Amino acid sequence: MGKRLEAVLKDLDRAKLHSIDEAAALVKKTATAKFDESIELHVRLGIDPRQSDQQIRGTVPLPHGTGAKRRVAVIAKGDKAKEAEAAGADLVGHLELIGEIEKGKFDFDVLVASPDVMKDLARLGKVLGPRGLMPNPKSGTVTFEIGKTVKELKAGRVEFKNDDYGIIHLAVGKKSFAPEQIAANARAVLQTIVRMKPSSSKGVYVRSVALSATMGPGVKVAVSDKY
């Protein structure tokens, strides 16, 4: 264990449960690396991730964004392409943009498509899929509401889903954020996850919650049905 982490742990009771506001303030103190560390939320759920009807996947607009600039590309045509441009999309196109992606150009962080062009995107499945960039209705990136979606993504809408262990990991800000901003973002995510509890999931749904900086220890958050 390095001296930096030893110093952080010295003043942190790792067994204590905190309110979101307390945890947000504490996690900033643990973020002592020399760069603007991400603040991550980790939620362990009482679901069976092997069951398709218990998968937790959705999107949520973070009140204060993620602190990272996101380049949004849109594949659409006609009026929907114009709508994307007006909303501030970084890249807009149809067949020509699909061609560039086929050649290995990925100058974007999120790809949005209108439903009427998905048939043209099919051939990019093997290229986009492994990178997690394939537009998907469940993540809200296949939609006719192009303008609204682009604005939300640029403002800080994020996608989340549980991993193979039933845990959701999601960045909810940067250490440069104020504690209130981190808390508000984390609360928005937790409220959304609680609302998404599958009817087939029995027992305790939210088992544990923690906030951590990229290079810091976890700060435990008290579990509640109401955040």
Side-chain angles (χ1 to χ4, degrees):
M1 186 182 298
K3 292 183 179 180
R4 184 191 66 81
L5 189 54
E6 280 185 353
V8 169
L9 292 175
K10 183 179 179 181
D11 299 319
L12 178 66
D13 183 350
R14 300 189 70 185
K16 184 177 179 179
L17 296 176
H18 305 273
S19 69
I20 294 179
D21 298 296
E22 291 171 341
L26 278 171
V27 81
K28 274 182 63 71
K29 293 180 179 179
T30 70
T32 58
K34 295 181 179 180
F35 63 94
D36 195 11
E37 296 177 66
S38 291
I39 304 300
E40 301 162 0
L41 178 69
H42 309 275
V43 186
R44 185 165 67 93
L45 300 174
I47 59 173
D48 184 349
R50 297 169 297 179
Q51 304 300 318
S52 60
D53 62 345
Q54 292 191 36
Q55 297 290 317
I56 304 299
R57 180 175 184 174
T59 62
V60 57
L62 299 182
H64 301 285
T66 62
K69 292 183 179 180
R70 306 174 80 192
R71 288 182 59 81
V72 179
V74 176
I75 295 179
K77 55 186 178 181
D79 290 340
K80 291 302 171 181
K82 294 177 181 178
E83 188 177 320
E85 292 173 349
D90 298 282
L91 295 170
V92 181
H94 182 208
L95 296 178
E96 70 283 4
L97 183 52
I98 291 175
E100 289 182 8
I101 295 171
E102 277 187 308
K103 294 175 182 177
K105 295 183 179 180
F106 299 94
D107 192 20
F108 54 87
D109 303 300
V110 187
L111 182 62
V112 178
S114 56
D116 58 327
V117 301
M118 284 304 293
K119 63 183 185 298
D120 301 320
L121 265 174
R123 66 180 191 261
L124 295 182
K126 293 182 179 180
V127 177
L128 295 172
R131 293 176 170 80
L133 293 172
M134 190 68 180
N136 189 305
K138 292 183 179 179
S139 65
T141 48
V142 176
T143 176
F144 277 121
E145 295 186 323
I146 295 292
K148 177 184 176 183
T149 300
V150 170
K151 288 178 180 178
E152 288 182 349
L153 287 168
K154 299 287 282 186
R157 192 184 86 179
V158 294
E159 178 185 359
F160 60 85
K161 62 179 179 179
N162 62 268
D163 64 14
D164 292 340
Y165 301 97
I167 304 172
I168 291 174
H169 309 274
L170 184 67
V172 292
K174 296 282 189 178
K175 78 172 183 181
S176 55
F177 280 27
E180 310 86 68
Q181 293 176 311
I182 296 170
N185 281 352
R187 188 172 282 113
V189 175
L190 288 167
Q191 288 173 346
T192 301
I193 292 173
V194 168
R195 288 197 299 268
M196 295 178 70
K197 180 181 180 180
S199 58
S200 58
S201 175
K202 307 302 179 184
V204 178
Y205 176 49
V206 180
R207 291 186 173 177
S208 67
V209 179
L211 282 172
S212 69
T214 304
M215 304 293 288
V219 178
K220 293 183 178 179
V221 178
V223 173
S224 171
D225 288 334
K226 298 178 180 178
Y227 286 101

